Amino acid sequence: MDLADFERSEQAYIAHTPILRTRLYDRHGGGVEITDFAPRFQQFGRLFCPVMLMRQIRPLAGSPRIRVRIRPLCEYGARRPAMTWAATTCAT
């Protein structure tokens, strides 16, 4: 992720958690907060720990301009996934 006119950043884990919080600020007083975590939840009396990472991005101040680029990889980044194309439909 890139923040236009980036000036400074702050980064720390939320106390006693594996949740990483990053704050980026631009030269115009704008800022965004990025929270990275691995979801965990209870369902059917069990703790589910899906193999995924989540990233939440929210504005803090001003009108920050960000660019998000997504490049999914397989096997912990060792190779690119096979690409397939399909039509999708939406229920109304």
Side-chain angles (χ1 to χ4, degrees):
M1 191 190 93
D2 294 325
L3 175 66
D5 298 323
F6 172 79
E7 182 176 54
R8 66 184 175 89
S9 65
E10 302 169 357
Q11 189 173 56
Y13 283 95
I14 296 174
H16 310 293
T17 73
I19 301 170
L20 180 63
R21 181 170 289 153
T22 305
R23 292 183 175 146
L24 305 176
Y25 299 94
D26 65 24
R27 290 188 290 252
H28 311 289
V32 295
E33 180 177 82
I34 305 160
T35 305
D36 294 310
F37 62 97
R40 304 289 182 258
F41 58 92
Q42 290 277 339
Q43 188 174 9
F44 308 117
R46 295 178 30 188
L47 178 64
F48 284 85
C49 304
V51 181
M52 66 174 62
L53 293 175
M54 303 293 293
R55 172 167 277 181
Q56 293 177 330
I57 303 170
R58 70 181 187 94
L60 291 175
S63 299
R65 292 180 12 175
I66 63 171
R67 179 176 64 175
V68 177
R69 198 165 125 190
I70 300 172
R71 290 185 292 162
L73 298 172
C74 295
E75 299 171 10
Y76 300 97
R79 65 179 184 83
R80 290 182 175 198
M83 300 290 285
T84 59
W85 299 93
T88 59
T89 59
C90 297
T92 57

